[in-house]
Structures are given as C-alpha cells and as structure tokens.
Amino acid sequence: MSVAAPEPGRNMGQPAPRVDARLKVTGEARYAADFPAANLAHGVLVTSSIARGSIASLDLDEAKAVAGVIEILTHDNVGSAIKPLPFGNGSATSISPLTDAKIWHDGQIIALVLADTFEAAREAAYKVKATYNAEQPSAGFGSPGAETVPAVGKVQSHKEDPAVGDAEAALRSAPTVIEADYSTPTQHHNPIELFSTTCVWNGDQLTVYEPSQSVYGFRAMVAKQLGIDIAKVRVVSPYVGGAFGAKGSMTPRTGIVALAAKRINRPVRCVVTREQGYTTATYRAETRHHIRMGAGPDGRITGFSHEGWEVTSRPDAYVVAGTEASARLYGYGAVATKVNMVHADRNTPGYMRSPPEVPYIYALESAMDELAVALKMDPVELRRINDTMKEPIKGYPYTSRALMQCFDQASAAFGWAKRNPAVGSMRDGDWLIGMGCATALYPTNVGAATARVRLSADGTVRVQTAAHDVGTGAYTVIGQMAAERLGVDLAAVTVELGDTSLPPAPVAGGSNTTASVCSTVLIACDAIRDKLFKSAGQPNQGPVKAVLEKMGSGAIEEYAEWIPPGAPPDAIKKLYQGASTLKGGLEGEKMMAAFGAEFVEVRIHARTREIRVPRIVGAFTGGRIMNTRTAHSQLMGGMIWGIGSALHEKTEIDARHARYINRDLAEYLVPVNADVPQVEVIMVPEEDAEVNPAGVKGLGELSNVGTASAIANAVFHATGKRIRDLPIRIEDLLDM
Ligand code: MOS
C-alpha cells in the first residue's frame, strides 16, 4: 500500500493496478487514430476565419494543384448529402458545416481536404482561399447583439427554476445579508489525445474509429447524418486519451469524414489540430452569477437567491443550470433562482467535468465564505449549521449525506484549528498565508445499462459491455466487480468495452459509469451463480469454478439489463438506439449525491503577489469505493483541476472578432507539477444501499467542485481581497 494505493477502509475495494496500465505505457493500447487501415487517405479540415456571415466563394485551384490531393469537400459539393442534426440527445450542435454557406462561429469547418498523405492534405488546406460576406459578431456577455433569454423549459434537465417560499421577504428581514456577483471564464477541455475520426466502409457497412464517451450515441448520430440504418454502423473506441465531456456528444465532423470515405472509396482519417479542436468541439461556457444570502445571528440561512447567466451559441439552447444543485445544497429557508442563456456568435458549448457544479458551486461556496465573514463565524461552522438531510425545495431526503464527516476529517488532517481567522494575520517571512475551505458535491447519476458475462469451464470470465474507459479505470473496476461476485481472481477476467458490437451502456457522462455498469455486471454475475448452483443442486456460496468443472459444461453466459428507478420502461430499447437515460442525482424524490470537503493553503508573495497553493486536503464520500487506487487518482486529479480553475485556466476571447486567442497548450494555462506540491485525499467510508445495486456513487466529477472557491476564500483570508472573477491572477492583487 502507498499514498497512491491506499489501504481500503470499510466498503472499499482493493487498489488493484489498472489492467490496461501496461498496454498504455508500452504503446500497445490502440487509440482511435492508431487503428491501421489499408489505402488510407488523410483528411485535413479548413476552418473559417470569420465568426458570422456566409461564405461568398471558395477558390480551390491552388489547393487542388498540390500533388497527392484527391478531393476537397465543401458546401458546394456536400449540401444535402449530410443531414443536419438537431441539437441535444447526443448531438453536440445543430450547426451543420458543409450543408450550406452560413457561418455561425469562428473556426467553423468550411472544407475537408483529402490527400494521399497528411502533409499533402495539410499543404492544400492552407491553399484553400475563402472569401466571406462578413457580419459583426457578438462574442459573449455584454456584446452588442447578444441575446439573453430565460433558460427554464429550454432544456430537459431544467424544467423549472428551483424556488420555495418568499426569498425577497426573507432577504429583506434578515439581520445579515450579503450580495455579490461572480464570474467564471471560458475553458477548453484540451484532452491530450486530439479529436479524430477514421472511417472505413466495407460495402454499405461503415466502421468509425473515434475517441468517444458514447459509442452507441455516436452510432445513432452518424447514421442520422448519413441517412442510413444504425445497423450499418459500428463505432469503435476502446481507449480514450482524455475526454472530460468533450467526446460525449458527437460533432458533425464524424459524418463529414464518413461521407468523404464513401465518395473517394477509401478509408479516411482526419485528426483535428489542437487549434481546430477549440472551435470544432465544445468547451465550458463562461458564466456569471448574482447571489444574495441572508442569515440570522445563529448562522441559519433564511433566504438564498441565485441568478446565473451562461453563454451559448446563436442557434442552440445549451445551458447547465447549476441552480439545480446550488438550490439543494443547504437547508436554506426561502429560495429563489433563475438561469439565463446568452446567445452569441460562438460554437456551441458543451459538458466539461462537473459542468453545472464547477461554476455554480464556486459562486455559492464563495458566497458562503462571505456570509461567514459577515457573521464573524467559522466557515466550517456555518456549513454545519446549515447542513441538512433534506433538500429545501420539496423536502426530499438525501439517501446518505456525510458532508460534515468530510469536513471533520479534512479539517483535522489540514490543521484548520491552527488557522487564525483574522484576515491577513498569518505570515511566513515574505509570504502571506491564507486558508480556505469549501464543500464539494456531485449528483449520483445512473443510467440504464446492459452487460454480457461469460464464465468458461477453465475459470476465466469475459465481460462485454459498450461502456467507456476514459482513463478513469473502468476496465479495472468492472473486472473487479465480476471477479468478486464470481469468486475468481481479477487476472481471470477480461473486460471488453467501447464498441457497438457489444451490448450497450450509457454515455460515460455525469460520472455514472461505475454505478450503472457495475450494478449491471453484478446482476449478470448473480444470475450466473443462480443458474449454476441451482443446476448443481448446491447452496449458492463460494467460488464458481469447481462447480462448473463438476457439471462438465463448457461455459455459462448471462446477459443482464438494469433500468434504474424512475427511468422509462423502454430505457433499454432507447439505449440500443443510442439514447442514454440518466436518472438519480437530484432530480427524483430521493436526493442522491457524493460529497466532499476541501481545505487549501495559499501563499501570496507580499512583494510580487505570486500566488502558490502549497497544500490541499480533501475528504470525500462516494458510497462504495470499487478500487482505492483509481478512486484516489480521480479525486486527486479533480482537485488539481480545481487549482487550474482557480488560478490558471481561461480561454481568452478577442471580442472584436469573437475569436479565441490562446488556442494551444503553450498559452492555455493548466497546473503543472511545480504548481501542485501536496495533495492529500481522504476517503471517508460510506454505505448506501439505496443509490443502486452496486452501492456506488460517482467520483470522477466530484473533487474539482468547490476547489476554486476554497482557493478564492483562502486568497481573501491572506489578503482581505475578495476576487470574484476567475481565474485569480497576480494582477488582481497588485492594488492591495
Ligand atoms: Mo462529464 S462533463 O459528464 O463527461
């Protein structure tokens, strides 16, 4: 056991090393763009240099003259051969490049150049000359022409703005009230594995190799785009080199590459450049928040109001509506919320790790700290006083909620008791010291799933399900579940994922995979045991291998479907057709969520204002932990991401042109080793039999929630400066 592989506590699984670790470090694991194809042609995208208007003309002469160029797809020769997809349900955007001349955003696909080599395709792509009918674009908040509309009812996940009681009256009569505006910037996922699509036709059968969090979803979408039967399409994505939501909904590139392969009657591979990924995939939209909070002298919050604004594209109603979570986190009295979407001339944003919680809980947890300061109360105590086992809107109970145990364990490990609460009171030489904390929560989403498990006479087990391992350890924890239920070694289990030739599983989104798929595998394994022990006439206990041997049969196989409570009865049928139904979380009559408490120390140089985070401690509960190593890694990674959210990440936008400026990993800042000296992860044991058969809550998106506010709160404690707009940078602290 080690820091990276903690000793399992109660209701925690062994820290088995990742079963795919060796494949990955030796380069044997095949990512989507690694699959070989005979007679492969290479596609390079050409993207628009304006954000709004239309293409007037495309001059392809010079491009076509490049040796090795085969064909160039543009709106002039594609048009209705691609069917525009509506936005949502697995489609990242309704913007459908190459179907007409319209330009909706900067960096929109305007051509796909095909050539015998990547180099020829790239050279020709540079030689495509576009002229435009350009219009003045709106870049985002405050831009002329940006259109603000209420979000409620426009997306499935936000049918009404959560509200209860008379928040205005409560805020008017509260003796202590705080009111503040917060903002978070545009962020891009930047998965290290670039976006790519490789399409291979065999007659009328299409195989798509593309990194995906939803192979069944991609299959349905690309079939729709091409107007063909989903049965003609297979999507393969066994390994994904970072996704974070960016590979969850399909973008229109997939169908364009498939059409290109069909047209030239050759396999086509298109690897999107880092820069093009910023505009042809999704991103975390910038948000703004107005929060008001009132409390009595005892610290009980009597009124809470949270209004949010989120940028989206001109045509698509993308919104994360994190008030669904912020309104349910504490036992407020009256609550009023509202979410607005702001349409601008931008590519459609999308899910990015804890999409609603990262921005909205940042605002809430910053406001909680401001309220604690106003009340002269310890911020941990303020959270304790307002902790609740029932959400305040409808009074629905949490199935389990160990938030304050998390605070107790993390604060003890951090040494919170040694903090002098007076602002600016702690100093070490030239370094001002600040300490802050915040709550993390993430809803326990679960989706209908299927799996096939086969136990062979030699004692080996094969698990097949089209779930996805986006680097999180899904292969390993799914194998652990099968090994445990059947009483075999993990080494005897082979897990196959990420292929539509396997039974379907939900999108790897909303941190649902471990909960949904392990529950389904558990059911399949138990069915195998039942069948086996019944036919052997033996009590159902112990390992299976000896029983199977005695029976003399070759193999026993079970296919299982699991539909979570609250999901429609046809959820499995829909899953086969490419639609994931995520339930649970905060949307039913039972509140299901994982929790955490995070504590950070910041050090700010008194002269240069350099901001460092020397240590961060988080304690978390997630129901059953399948594997303490992969869980530790997820939780640690999330907190490091949170440091990036607080201090580094921001996609800068040139408002004149509605264009991203820092479109590469050199200028898009993320934390590196030197930014993250010490991260401590504590897993607090928790059992919750209600959430799902596996008893698992999701962890992948839990720990980067709250981190940014803990850091902002610590910056305030060190300096007395309340920075409400992320990221916090040296220049924000110059005038103190
Ligand atoms: Mo995650 S942003 O739900 O893929």
Side-chain angles (χ1 to χ4, degrees):
M1 302 293 161
S2 65
V3 170
E7 182 81 49
R10 183 171 50 81
N11 202 27
M12 295 180 196
Q14 288 299 317
R18 287 153 193 271
V19 296
D20 49 344
R22 190 184 166 83
L23 291 177
K24 284 186 170 174
V25 297
T26 55
E28 272 183 77
R30 262 194 195 154
Y31 290 80
D34 298 334
F35 281 87
N39 198 28
L40 184 68
H42 296 265
V44 169
L45 300 172
V46 183
T47 56
S48 71
S49 60
I50 66 157
R52 184 185 164 105
S54 61
I55 303 164
S57 68
L58 289 170
D59 179 353
L60 307 180
D61 289 350
E62 254 190 80
K64 281 185 171 163
V66 173
V69 169
I70 305 162
E71 157 109 80
I72 302 174
L73 268 61
T74 71
H75 69 281
D76 289 321
N77 56 32
V78 171
S80 60
I82 295 273
K83 317 263 176 297
L85 297 172
F87 164 71
N89 296 319
S91 157
T93 177
S94 68
I95 295 167
S96 184
L98 308 194
T99 58
D100 59 28
K102 192 159 169 62
I103 300 293
W104 295 91
H105 61 85
D106 177 64
Q108 181 183 317
I109 297 170
I110 59 169
L112 174 66
V113 177
L114 303 165
D116 289 327
T117 63
F118 170 73
E119 289 75 13
R122 185 175 54 180
E123 184 184 348
Y126 282 126
K127 291 183 169 169
V128 170
K129 293 202 170 56
T131 55
Y132 302 96
N133 304 307
E135 297 166 27
Q136 180 59 42
S138 314
F141 294 132
S143 299
E147 186 199 1
T148 303
V149 293
V152 70
K154 302 228 168 47
V155 282
Q156 239 221 320
S157 57
H158 191 62
K159 295 194 183 75
E160 56 191 64
D161 287 313
V164 67
D166 187 343
E168 290 304 324
L171 288 163
R172 263 196 310 275
S173 61
T176 303
V177 175
I178 61 109
E179 175 166 9
D181 295 305
Y182 305 90
S183 74
T184 64
T186 304
Q187 299 178 342
H188 276 80
H189 313 76
N190 283 300
I192 291 301
E193 179 200 24
L194 295 171
F195 300 101
S196 76
T197 305
T198 301
C199 290
V200 182
W201 289 89
N202 187 351
D204 64 352
Q205 291 281 334
L206 169 66
T207 305
V208 179
Y209 302 91
E210 178 168 333
S212 173
Q213 295 168 254
S214 177
V215 286
Y216 269 82
F218 277 36
R219 178 173 83 147
M221 289 303 127
V222 75
K224 233 183 194 176
Q225 246 186 323
L226 299 171
I228 62 175
D229 192 326
I230 60 170
K232 303 279 187 207
V233 183
R234 178 181 170 206
V235 177
V236 181
S237 176
Y239 298 101
V240 180
F244 319 121
K247 295 165 180 171
S249 298
M250 201 195 73
T251 66
R253 180 191 70 251
T254 310
I256 293 170
V257 175
L259 178 73
K262 181 110 205 163
R263 285 233 172 129
I264 67 169
N265 199 23
R266 279 173 73 167
V268 172
R269 171 164 301 151
C270 171
V271 179
V272 179
T273 66
R274 176 69 57 192
E275 184 177 356
Q276 289 172 339
Y278 274 66
T279 58
T280 61
T282 62
Y283 59 98
R284 193 199 294 279
E286 56 267 45
T287 68
R288 288 183 177 177
H289 306 263
H290 183 68
I291 289 192
R292 290 176 296 157
M293 223 185 251
D298 57 355
R300 288 203 69 89
I301 299 166
T302 51
F304 170 57
S305 166
H306 190 170
E307 183 166 6
W309 290 262
E310 304 175 27
V311 161
T312 185
S313 64
R314 196 58 80 172
D316 294 333
Y318 175 86
V319 70
V320 297
T323 49
E324 297 283 353
S326 68
R328 293 182 171 89
L329 182 47
Y330 297 112
Y332 318 105
V335 176
T337 67
K338 187 180 179 189
V339 174
N340 307 280
M341 63 175 89
V342 178
H343 292 282
D345 300 302
R346 297 269 298 280
N347 50 321
T348 303
Y351 306 113
M352 180 162 151
R353 202 173 191 181
S354 333
E357 293 77 16
V358 158
Y360 281 76
I361 302 301
Y362 154 69
L364 170 60
E365 289 299 292
S366 299
M368 286 293 280
D369 199 68
E370 300 206 40
L371 184 63
V373 170
L375 289 164
K376 299 188 172 56
M377 184 176 274
D378 182 90
V380 177
E381 279 318 297
L382 179 64
R383 288 167 175 92
R384 196 183 310 278
I385 288 162
N386 292 285
D387 189 33
T388 179
M389 285 306 291
K390 285 181 174 175
E391 59 83 33
I393 307 298
K394 300 255 172 66
Y396 293 144
Y398 282 92
T399 57
S400 57
R401 170 168 164 137
L403 175 61
M404 293 323 298
Q405 283 98 301
C406 292
F407 267 102
D408 291 342
Q409 293 205 20
S411 70
F414 180 81
W416 183 251
K418 295 194 205 100
R419 173 186 185 255
N420 180 342
V423 165
S425 63
M426 299 181 78
R427 189 168 177 145
D428 177 7
D430 272 348
W431 292 92
L432 311 176
I433 297 173
M435 296 181 180
C437 65
T439 294
L441 102 158
Y442 195 78
T444 301
N445 299 301
V446 280
T450 74
R452 188 162 50 226
V453 179
R454 181 186 179 90
L455 167 67
S456 294
D458 64 0
T460 60
V461 175
R462 174 165 298 230
V463 181
Q464 296 180 309
T465 173
H468 316 81
D469 191 329
V470 293
T472 45
Y475 278 108
T476 310
V477 299
I478 292 167
Q480 281 178 284
M481 179 53 90
E484 179 194 297
R485 297 311 279 198
L486 295 174
V488 302
D489 289 340
L490 179 57
V493 183
T494 305
V495 179
E496 294 173 33
L497 306 177
D499 187 333
T500 54
S501 60
L502 307 171
V507 56
S511 299
N512 87 88
T513 293
T514 306
S516 311
V517 178
C518 285
S519 290
T520 311
V521 168
L522 177 156
I523 292 165
C525 292
D526 286 0
I528 287 178
R529 294 188 69 94
D530 258 11
K531 206 185 245 183
L532 185 66
F533 284 93
K534 220 171 259 165
S535 8
Q538 263 180 245
N540 185 343
Q541 53 190 240
V544 291
K545 195 181 163 194
V547 189
L548 189 64
E549 261 169 15
K550 205 170 75 188
M551 307 252 317
S553 79
I556 175 165
E557 188 171 283
E558 281 291 328
Y559 161 82
E561 298 181 343
W562 179 63
I563 303 180
D570 65 347
I572 296 287
K573 190 175 152 202
K574 288 204 173 112
L575 188 65
Y576 272 92
Q577 292 162 354
S580 299
T581 318
L582 293 193
K583 289 287 162 189
L586 307 177
E587 72 161 60
E589 299 193 354
K590 293 264 176 73
M591 297 293 105
M592 303 179 182
F595 287 93
E598 298 183 19
F599 289 76
V600 299
E601 177 182 320
V602 302
R603 287 181 171 232
I604 295 164
H605 198 273
R607 293 168 217 290
T608 66
R609 312 293 199 253
E610 179 185 353
I611 310 163
R612 309 297 301 170
V613 179
R615 60 197 187 97
I616 177 162
V617 177
F620 303 93
T621 53
R624 170 155 187 198
I625 305 294
M626 289 299 300
N627 176 323
T628 54
R629 182 196 304 264
T630 54
H632 177 273
S633 174
Q634 287 296 296
L635 293 165
M636 179 177 67
M639 284 196 278
I640 293 169
W641 188 315
I643 295 172
S645 267
L647 301 176
H648 306 109
E649 280 192 72
K650 181 181 184 180
T651 308
E652 304 282 353
I653 300 166
D654 182 340
R656 297 166 303 172
H657 304 293
R659 180 181 301 157
Y660 305 129
I661 297 168
N662 49 339
R663 291 184 277 187
D664 55 56
L665 280 175
E667 297 194 42
Y668 186 91
L669 304 182
V670 293
V672 297
N673 280 17
D675 296 309
V676 190
Q678 195 189 324
V679 180
E680 184 178 348
V681 172
I682 299 164
M683 290 178 256
V684 180
E686 182 181 59
E687 279 172 55
D688 188 331
E690 273 191 273
V691 280
N692 49 69
V696 164
K697 296 177 172 179
L699 289 180
E701 291 168 270
L702 171 63
S703 63
N704 66 327
V705 179
T707 320
S709 36
I711 291 171
N713 299 341
V715 168
F716 174 80
H717 178 238
T719 65
K721 279 214 77 173
R722 180 69 67 178
I723 311 300
R724 302 184 178 91
D725 305 306
L726 296 181
I728 301 168
R729 289 185 172 155
I730 289 173
E731 51 267 39
D732 296 315
L733 301 176
L734 290 179
D735 60 342
M736 52 183 236

